[in-house]
Amino acid sequence: MSETTIDFNRALGNLVRERPAYANVLESFNIDYCCGGDQSLADACRERDFTVEELRDELEAAAQRGANVEGDWDGLDELADLIIETHHDYLREELPELRDLVETVSRVHGENHPELHTIEEVFPALAEEMRDHIEEEEEDGFPIIRKLARGESLTESERARLQDELKHYEDDHEETAEYLDRIAELTNGYEVPADACPTYEATLSRLEALEEDTHMHVHRENNVLFEEAKTLLKAQG
């Protein structure tokens, strides 16, 4: 296997943007590459008391195995389509089903696992936040980004609106991350209890999948779509 050069001083978001296969490795080390995408890999290791060597082999192996999935889009128009089709549509289908599952396992297992009652209280707020967020993006922000991608000049009103929207979306991402971190903490990292029924186990698995999908979703927006939109805005200015 040929060695892959990894610059540990580069920002996490840029590293995952170039090699999406790194995402799973960073997830396994609980390193935030989406909302924390501006942080360098070296700083992330220091904060979590990991050595560079602990990550290097796994990242190199992932780079050899993983395809460059980001090559599936070309330009901001196609990236916006990818985000909608891959992440937004997934949320529209998954959130109502997962809310029902959370309510079910809380009712059945909540006596022995009171943390489930807390998750039942937290999840509706998370789901509402995510639903509102994706609708706002598709109705307000994405259409203006598509105009930028087509090379069309924006009005001053559109420029100001997009700048405000991008900041708002990034703030939303931070809030979503807090909800997901809370659920992960309550479930001890989605650990399956010994007395869990198949429905309980499936709920934990789907909550974990939601978190992982959200990390890639936020990465594609914060570190790619929004950053390129900001660059185009500056070019027009």
Side-chain angles (χ1 to χ4, degrees), residues 129-159:
E129 163 71 21
M130 298 184 90
R131 283 195 305 268
D132 289 347
H133 177 81
I134 63 176
E135 293 298 331
E136 288 176 11
E137 285 185 335
E138 292 179 22
E139 292 175 7
D140 300 326
F142 283 16
I144 302 177
I145 291 175
R146 290 182 191 278
K147 286 189 69 174
L148 275 174
R150 293 193 297 267
E152 299 179 22
S153 296
L154 303 185
T155 65
E156 285 302 316
S157 174
E158 288 173 326
R159 289 176 59 82

Coordinates of all heavy atoms in Angstrom, one line a residue, residues 129-159:
E129 N -36.1 21.7 14.8 CA -35.0 22.5 14.4 C -34.5 22.1 13.0 O -34.3 22.9 12.2 CB -33.9 22.4 15.4 CG -32.5 22.9 15.0 CD -32.4 24.4 14.8 OE1 -33.2 25.1 15.5 OE2 -31.5 24.8 14.1
M130 N -34.3 20.8 12.8 CA -33.8 20.3 11.6 C -34.8 20.5 10.4 O -34.4 20.8 9.3 CB -33.4 18.8 11.7 CG -32.3 18.5 12.7 SD -31.8 16.8 12.8 CE -30.4 16.9 11.6
R131 N -36.1 20.2 10.7 CA -37.1 20.4 9.6 C -37.1 21.9 9.2 O -37.2 22.2 8.0 CB -38.5 19.9 10.1 CG -38.7 18.4 10.1 CD -40.1 18.1 10.3 NE -40.7 18.7 11.5 CZ -40.8 18.1 12.7 NH1 -40.3 16.9 12.8 NH2 -41.3 18.7 13.7
D132 N -37.2 22.8 10.2 CA -37.3 24.2 9.8 C -36.0 24.6 9.1 O -36.1 25.4 8.1 CB -37.4 25.0 11.1 CG -38.8 24.9 11.8 OD1 -39.7 24.3 11.1 OD2 -38.9 25.3 12.9
H133 N -34.9 24.1 9.5 CA -33.6 24.5 8.9 C -33.5 24.1 7.4 O -33.2 24.9 6.6 CB -32.5 23.8 9.7 CG -31.1 24.0 9.1 ND1 -30.4 25.2 9.4 CD2 -30.3 23.3 8.3 CE1 -29.2 25.1 8.7 NE2 -29.2 24.0 8.1
I134 N -33.9 22.9 7.1 CA -33.8 22.5 5.7 C -34.8 23.2 4.8 O -34.5 23.5 3.6 CB -33.9 20.9 5.5 CG1 -35.3 20.4 6.0 CG2 -32.8 20.2 6.3 CD1 -35.4 18.9 5.8
E135 N -36.0 23.5 5.4 CA -37.0 24.2 4.6 C -36.5 25.7 4.3 O -36.6 26.2 3.2 CB -38.3 24.3 5.3 CG -39.0 23.0 5.5 CD -39.4 22.3 4.2 OE1 -39.6 23.1 3.2 OE2 -39.5 21.1 4.1
E136 N -35.9 26.3 5.3 CA -35.3 27.6 5.1 C -34.2 27.6 4.1 O -34.1 28.5 3.2 CB -34.8 28.2 6.4 CG -35.9 28.5 7.4 CD -35.3 29.0 8.8 OE1 -34.1 29.2 8.8 OE2 -36.1 29.1 9.7
E137 N -33.4 26.6 4.1 CA -32.3 26.6 3.2 C -32.8 26.5 1.7 O -32.4 27.2 0.8 CB -31.4 25.4 3.5 CG -30.4 25.6 4.6 CD -29.5 24.4 4.8 OE1 -29.8 23.3 4.4 OE2 -28.4 24.6 5.4
E138 N -33.8 25.6 1.6 CA -34.3 25.3 0.2 C -35.1 26.5 -0.3 O -35.1 26.8 -1.5 CB -35.1 24.0 0.2 CG -34.3 22.8 0.4 CD -35.1 21.5 0.4 OE1 -36.2 21.5 -0.1 OE2 -34.7 20.5 1.0
E139 N -35.8 27.2 0.6 CA -36.7 28.3 0.1 C -35.9 29.6 0.0 O -36.2 30.5 -0.8 CB -37.8 28.5 1.1 CG -38.8 27.3 1.1 CD -39.9 27.4 2.1 OE1 -40.0 28.5 2.8 OE2 -40.7 26.5 2.3
D140 N -34.9 29.8 0.9 CA -34.3 31.2 1.0 C -32.8 31.2 0.5 O -32.5 31.9 -0.4 CB -34.3 31.7 2.4 CG -35.8 31.8 2.9 OD1 -36.6 32.1 2.1 OD2 -36.0 31.6 4.1
G141 N -32.0 30.3 1.1 CA -30.5 30.4 0.8 C -30.1 29.8 -0.5 O -29.4 30.4 -1.3
F142 N -30.6 28.5 -0.7 CA -30.1 27.8 -1.9 C -30.4 28.5 -3.2 O -29.6 28.5 -4.1 CB -30.6 26.4 -1.8 CG -29.9 25.5 -0.9 CD1 -29.1 25.9 0.1 CD2 -30.1 24.1 -1.0 CE1 -28.4 25.1 1.0 CE2 -29.4 23.2 -0.1 CZ -28.6 23.7 0.9
P143 N -31.6 29.1 -3.4 CA -31.9 29.8 -4.6 C -30.9 30.9 -4.9 O -30.5 31.1 -6.1 CB -33.3 30.3 -4.4 CG -34.0 29.4 -3.5 CD -32.9 29.0 -2.5
I144 N -30.5 31.6 -3.9 CA -29.5 32.7 -4.1 C -28.2 32.1 -4.5 O -27.4 32.6 -5.3 CB -29.4 33.6 -2.9 CG1 -30.8 34.2 -2.6 CG2 -28.5 34.8 -3.2 CD1 -30.8 35.1 -1.3
I145 N -27.8 31.0 -3.8 CA -26.5 30.4 -4.1 C -26.5 29.8 -5.5 O -25.5 29.9 -6.2 CB -26.3 29.2 -3.1 CG1 -26.0 29.8 -1.7 CG2 -25.1 28.3 -3.5 CD1 -25.8 28.7 -0.6
R146 N -27.7 29.4 -6.0 CA -27.7 28.9 -7.3 C -27.5 30.0 -8.3 O -26.9 29.8 -9.4 CB -29.1 28.2 -7.6 CG -29.2 26.9 -6.8 CD -30.6 26.2 -7.2 NE -30.9 25.1 -6.3 CZ -30.5 23.9 -6.5 NH1 -29.7 23.6 -7.5 NH2 -30.8 22.9 -5.7
K147 N -28.1 31.2 -8.0 CA -27.8 32.3 -8.9 C -26.3 32.7 -9.0 O -25.8 32.9 -10.0 CB -28.6 33.6 -8.4 CG -30.1 33.5 -8.6 CD -30.7 34.9 -8.2 CE -30.3 36.0 -9.2 NZ -31.1 37.2 -9.0
L148 N -25.7 32.6 -7.8 CA -24.2 32.8 -7.8 C -23.5 31.8 -8.7 O -22.6 32.1 -9.4 CB -23.7 32.7 -6.4 CG -23.7 34.0 -5.5 CD1 -23.3 33.6 -4.1 CD2 -22.9 35.1 -6.0
A149 N -23.9 30.5 -8.5 CA -23.3 29.5 -9.3 C -23.5 29.6 -10.8 O -22.6 29.2 -11.6 CB -23.9 28.1 -8.9
R150 N -24.6 30.3 -11.2 CA -24.8 30.5 -12.6 C -24.1 31.8 -13.1 O -24.2 32.1 -14.3 CB -26.3 30.6 -12.9 CG -27.1 29.3 -12.7 CD -28.5 29.4 -13.2 NE -29.3 30.4 -12.6 CZ -30.1 30.2 -11.5 NH1 -30.2 29.0 -11.0 NH2 -30.8 31.2 -11.0
G151 N -23.4 32.5 -12.2 CA -22.7 33.7 -12.6 C -23.6 34.9 -12.7 O -23.2 35.9 -13.3
E152 N -24.8 34.8 -12.2 CA -25.7 36.0 -12.2 C -25.3 37.0 -11.1 O -25.0 36.6 -10.0 CB -27.1 35.5 -12.0 CG -27.6 34.6 -13.1 CD -29.0 34.1 -12.9 OE1 -29.8 34.8 -12.2 OE2 -29.4 33.0 -13.5
S153 N -25.4 38.2 -11.4 CA -25.2 39.3 -10.4 C -26.3 39.3 -9.4 O -27.5 39.3 -9.8 CB -25.0 40.6 -11.0 OG -23.8 40.6 -11.9
L154 N -26.0 39.5 -8.1 CA -27.0 39.6 -7.1 C -27.3 41.1 -6.8 O -26.4 41.9 -6.9 CB -26.5 38.9 -5.8 CG -26.2 37.5 -5.8 CD1 -25.8 37.0 -4.4 CD2 -27.3 36.6 -6.4
T155 N -28.5 41.3 -6.4 CA -28.9 42.7 -5.9 C -28.2 42.9 -4.5 O -27.9 41.9 -3.9 CB -30.4 42.9 -5.8 OG1 -30.9 42.0 -4.8 CG2 -31.1 42.5 -7.2
E156 N -28.2 44.1 -4.1 CA -27.6 44.4 -2.8 C -28.5 43.7 -1.7 O -28.0 43.2 -0.7 CB -27.6 45.9 -2.5 CG -26.4 46.6 -3.3 CD -25.1 46.0 -2.9 OE1 -24.8 45.8 -1.7 OE2 -24.3 45.8 -3.8
S157 N -29.8 43.7 -1.9 CA -30.7 43.0 -1.0 C -30.4 41.5 -0.9 O -30.4 40.9 0.2 CB -32.1 43.2 -1.4 OG -33.0 42.5 -0.6
E158 N -30.2 40.9 -2.1 CA -29.8 39.5 -2.1 C -28.5 39.2 -1.4 O -28.4 38.2 -0.7 CB -29.8 38.9 -3.5 CG -31.2 38.8 -4.2 CD -31.2 38.5 -5.6 OE1 -30.2 38.9 -6.3 OE2 -32.1 37.8 -6.1
R159 N -27.5 40.0 -1.7 CA -26.2 39.9 -1.1 C -26.3 39.9 0.5 O -25.8 39.0 1.2 CB -25.2 40.9 -1.6 CG -24.8 40.8 -3.0 CD -23.9 42.0 -3.4 NE -22.7 42.1 -2.5 CZ -21.6 41.3 -2.7 NH1 -21.5 40.5 -3.7 NH2 -20.6 41.5 -1.9

